[in-house]
Amino acid sequence: DLTGNVNADAASGSVEAERITGSVRLHTASGCVRAEEIRGGDAHLDSASGSVRLLQASEMGRCELHAASGRVTAEQIEAESISLDTASGSVRFTEARADSVRLSTSSGSIRAEGLDTSQINAESTSGNISLAFAPSSPGEIAANVQASSGNVTLALPPDFTGRIELSASSGSVHTDLPISVTGKIDRKHVRGTVGQGAGSVSVRTSSGSIRVR
């Protein structure tokens, strides 16, 4: 175990750190980056060519994971803010609690389960997006989800209330929610409200279908 900040760079090869109390910054130009059992401080993990993975991080400030080419994975994370992005690869996210979450990939899918957050932005240029909120997540969430080419599946918190807008330019929209519809409704577009809360959900896909429950 180590108490203190860790800063590691590699031109070629993998970088790993575990059981750290403090901030962690890990970078490699070619290789994988992995951190596990991190507590306190911030986490910045970056690989120009390779996968990035963060496991079991608690009491964190900012958690930022970036891969130029490779998969980005985070599991069991508790932080103020979490950002996962990759230019080419998938994003996998499990059991996360944060004030805000950002998930992004230019070429790949996004899959997140057990989300406990009040604000999330998820974007994929080419790939499907699947997000599932934990039962403990606040009902009045702000969610913005965009897929240029791919399907979107969204499982909202059980107590969600607020505005909702679903739009599929080339595809269909399906929802099990008790929506009070505002304006015109068709297979490609739904706009309305669920309950009287202040939440907001916007889901758009240019080529693909949307399912929200």
Side-chain angles (χ1 to χ4, degrees):
D1 294 8
L2 175 65
T3 299
N5 299 333
V6 173
N7 190 339
D9 285 275
S12 179
S14 298
V15 180
E16 297 186 6
E18 62 181 25
R19 295 192 295 273
I20 307 295
T21 300
S23 293
V24 175
R25 179 187 175 277
L26 308 178
H27 168 79
T28 181
S30 179
C32 300
V33 174
R34 181 178 181 273
E36 185 173 358
E37 295 183 48
I38 311 298
R39 183 165 62 89
D42 301 326
H44 301 272
L45 312 182
D46 176 73
S47 174
S49 179
S51 62
V52 175
R53 189 170 188 179
L54 177 63
L55 307 175
Q56 299 176 18
S58 61
E59 301 176 27
M60 305 295 291
R62 290 183 300 163
C63 285
E64 299 179 353
L65 282 64
H66 171 74
S69 178
R71 173 181 285 197
V72 175
T73 304
E75 298 178 15
Q76 298 178 11
I77 311 299
E78 180 187 350
E80 294 177 5
S81 66
I82 301 172
S83 175
L84 278 63
D85 74 272
T86 175
S88 178
S90 60
V91 173
R92 296 290 181 268
F93 201 26
T94 308
E95 294 182 33
R97 180 184 301 160
D99 294 334
S100 63
V101 173
R102 175 182 172 272
L103 309 174
S104 175
T105 177
S106 296
S107 178
S109 62
I110 295 174
R111 185 176 184 86
E113 300 175 345
L115 290 170
D116 187 341
T117 183
S118 57
Q119 181 179 342
I120 184 167
N121 287 276
E123 181 176 2
S124 174
T125 303
S126 177
N128 298 331
I129 299 177
S130 176
L131 307 178
F133 287 85
S136 57
S137 194
E140 295 185 346
I141 61 167
N144 184 27
V145 183
Q146 297 187 55
S148 297
S149 178
N151 300 321
V152 176
T153 302
L154 186 60
L156 294 176
D159 299 328
F160 171 77
T161 57
R163 295 179 292 109
I164 188 165
E165 183 168 2
L166 314 175
S167 179
S169 299
S170 177
S172 56
V173 172
H174 309 272
T175 180
D176 300 328
L177 299 177
I179 297 177
S180 298
V181 176
T182 302
K184 183 181 177 181
I185 182 173
D186 56 43
R187 293 179 63 251
K188 299 180 181 298
H189 187 242
V190 173
R191 177 188 296 167
T193 59
V194 176
Q196 304 294 321
S200 175
V201 171
S202 174
V203 182
R204 298 179 183 275
T205 178
S206 299
S207 178
S209 297
I210 297 172
R211 180 174 293 277
V212 177
R213 63 182 193 276

